[in-house]
Amino acid sequence: MEPVVLFVHPDLGIGGAERLVVDAALALKSRGCRVTIWTAHYDPNHCFSETKDSGIPIQCCGDWLPRSLMGRCQALCAYLRMIFLTLYIVFLSGEQFDVVFCDQVSACIPFFKWTRNPKKVLFYCHFPDQLLTQRISLLKKIYRKPIDWLEEKTTGMADCILVNSHFTADVFKQTFASLSQVEPYVLYPSLNVSKFECDLSEDLNSILPLSRKHIFLSINRFERKKNLSLALEALCRLRDKLDLLEWDKVHMILAGGYDERVAENVEHYQELKDLASQFKISDHVTFLRSFSDEQKLNLLHNCICVVYTPSNEHFGIVPIEAMYMQCPVIAANSGGPLESVVSNVTGYLCEPSPKDFSNAMERFVKNPNLKITMGKSGHKRVMETFSFEAFSDQIYRHICKLTVSPLLS
Ligand SMILES: *[C@@H]1O[C@H](CO)[C@@H](O)[C@H](O)[C@H]1NC(C)=O
Ligand SMILES: *[C@@H]1O[C@H](CO)[C@@H](O)[C@H](O)[C@H]1NC(C)=O
Ligand SMILES: *[C@@H]1O[C@H](CO)[C@@H](O)[C@H](O)[C@H]1NC(C)=O
């Protein structure tokens, strides 16, 4: 009998965490497991298409509970919503299952463990929740204290803990000091490469001057923590290293998720534009505030390398997408890219300084072959380490380990 796996997730929208949950469900389904996804919020107009057409049942419950109390206490509300959902599943839904896969909110774990037939729980930690919020006021500190404590205690009750990178595993151990006996396993997110089969004939002449052959691409939301100014500073330094003719061929595209309702996106976009004009490189920089998946692939296909600026990124899917598209990556030498990019093979890992980034960028301008050789190595690396097959094998193995009876193992 293949295991029956229940997924429990707070909000099944469109984000990195949801991508992982949906991929994990599809992976287990493809191995014969019966899977169901339970969530507190699901909107068929704002979700990944696989939640509609893959035959995986989606069950929604408890969406009437508030998400915040007058804009505050979001964590507390998220906990209550998840606990309500869990109680419903355990006592009212009639669901029979072997393993629960949960992520983001660990507060539901004890309720699966305390039932008459305790269930095995697998918890996927994208990043410790308590590190994702700021504690400026004393009140906030007091409010978060019990929540942080609860996060640590309930996380420790899971039977198996997975994280998205060795970087996150280290952060996990530092953050949850009382869980030192727990060894989280790394399960890297994967890419659905069938989405990458698309028309790549679109050229960039409609948005760029004709002479620009050497295109550097950054893909990141317009947020300050992504350190996009580093890309502009590096481009400015690169100008000083090149002669006029070479510089005329160089261009940078800053493409990024942008939402007009998010103040930081709006402000930071303007700050970056101002910075570009302050450096007098505005006519070598194009900002793209929204783009389709197909456009993204065309951008990756046409650039000579991706410049990935954030430090301490938890995992970072962009370098994986770039390498799959045979595009080398220059990334800061911390966080997830340390595990995805192989320096000097699939790109360069650099100190997050304009000097180091521009040195690496110069290599691509001076030696166009580099894009081809490094691009091929990057593609190979993605196929070996980040493929959906590799991802499926691993998650299935973890589920089987949890369901095999202790007498047999
Ligand atoms: C990958 O994408 C294809 C096409 O969009 C879809 O049919 C398939 O279900 C996806 N698979 C996974 C594992 O996401
Ligand atoms: C961001 O980039 C600047 C250089 O532009 C660098 O000095 C700084 O350390 C970077 N920030 C982080 C968090 O790495
Ligand atoms: C980088 O790779 C090139 C070509 O394979 C090699 O000649 C060079 O020694 C390498 N540099 C470092 C620092 O590993």
Side-chain angles (χ1 to χ4, degrees), residues 133-146:
T133 54
Q134 290 185 332
R135 288 92 204 277
I136 302 160
S137 66
L138 181 64
L139 195 66
K140 180 91 183 233
K141 282 185 190 141
I142 294 170
Y143 157 72
R144 282 297 312 205
K145 198 105 202 152

Side-chain angles (χ1 to χ4, degrees), residues 163-377:
V163 288
N164 55 8
S165 60
H166 290 283
F167 173 71
T168 302
D170 289 343
V171 173
F172 180 98
K173 285 188 216 163
Q174 284 158 23
T175 308
F176 302 129
S178 74
L179 305 182
S180 56
Q181 79 290 357
V182 176
E183 195 57 45
Y185 296 97
V186 175
L187 174 66
Y188 292 125
S190 78
L191 274 194
N192 183 349
V193 298
S194 64
K195 295 218 163 49
F196 284 61
E197 310 300 325
C198 80
D199 179 12
L200 291 175
S201 61
E202 184 187 323
D203 60 31
L204 300 174
N205 289 342
S206 54
I207 56 170
L208 302 184
L210 265 178
S211 66
R212 304 292 155 81
K213 304 274 183 271
H214 303 316
I215 297 162
F216 293 98
L217 173 67
S218 153
I219 303 182
N220 258 311
R221 283 192 304 278
F222 289 103
E223 289 175 5
R224 294 186 184 96
K225 68 168 188 239
K226 301 295 185 185
N227 218 4
L228 292 165
S229 58
L230 170 56
L232 292 177
E233 284 179 59
L235 184 66
C236 183
R237 266 188 101 108
L238 178 66
R239 177 188 55 194
D240 302 339
K241 293 165 174 284
L242 302 178
D243 63 37
L244 272 178
L245 218 62
E246 286 172 323
W247 172 241
D248 191 44
K249 295 184 186 158
V250 170
H251 203 85
M252 177 173 276
I253 298 179
L254 296 184
Y258 177 93
D259 184 339
E260 266 167 36
R261 294 166 301 177
V262 178
E264 187 186 0
N265 288 174
V266 178
E267 288 164 18
H268 195 46
Y269 169 72
Q270 196 53 49
E271 286 163 9
L272 291 167
K273 283 205 96 148
D274 294 347
L275 195 63
S277 59
Q278 189 191 319
F279 290 151
K280 304 199 169 54
I281 51 174
S282 292
D283 54 346
H284 286 255
V285 180
T286 298
F287 290 88
L288 272 188
R289 278 180 291 181
S290 56
F291 48 89
S292 65
D293 282 348
E294 188 160 325
Q295 262 176 316
K296 176 170 76 180
L297 298 178
N298 273 286
L299 289 170
L300 288 169
H301 183 67
N302 284 300
C303 70
I304 57 169
C305 98
V306 159
V307 177
Y308 194 68
T309 49
S311 289
N312 297 323
E313 182 70 28
H314 311 162
F315 176 69
I317 199 76
V318 168
I320 310 287
E321 292 175 333
M323 292 192 299
Y324 180 80
M325 292 301 289
Q326 312 204 9
C327 179
V329 181
I330 300 173
N333 57 356
S334 62
L338 282 180
E339 296 161 58
S340 51
V341 176
V342 183
S343 198
N344 203 30
V345 177
T346 74
Y348 294 102
L349 294 166
C350 301
E351 289 295 323
S353 73
K355 177 164 168 277
D356 276 23
F357 267 63
S358 62
N359 283 343
M361 287 160 76
E362 186 186 9
R363 294 198 174 123
F364 288 99
V365 175
K366 295 271 160 80
N367 177 5
N369 261 335
L370 208 51
K371 165 175 173 146
I372 299 167
T373 50
M374 286 192 161
K376 285 200 175 119
S377 308

Side-chain angles (χ1 to χ4, degrees), residues 19 22-23 26-27 49-50 53-54 192 194-195 388:
R19 186 67 259 171
V22 171
D23 283 345
L26 290 165
S49 63
E50 293 88 356
D53 59 21
S54 64
N192 183 349
S194 64
K195 295 218 163 49
F388 194 69

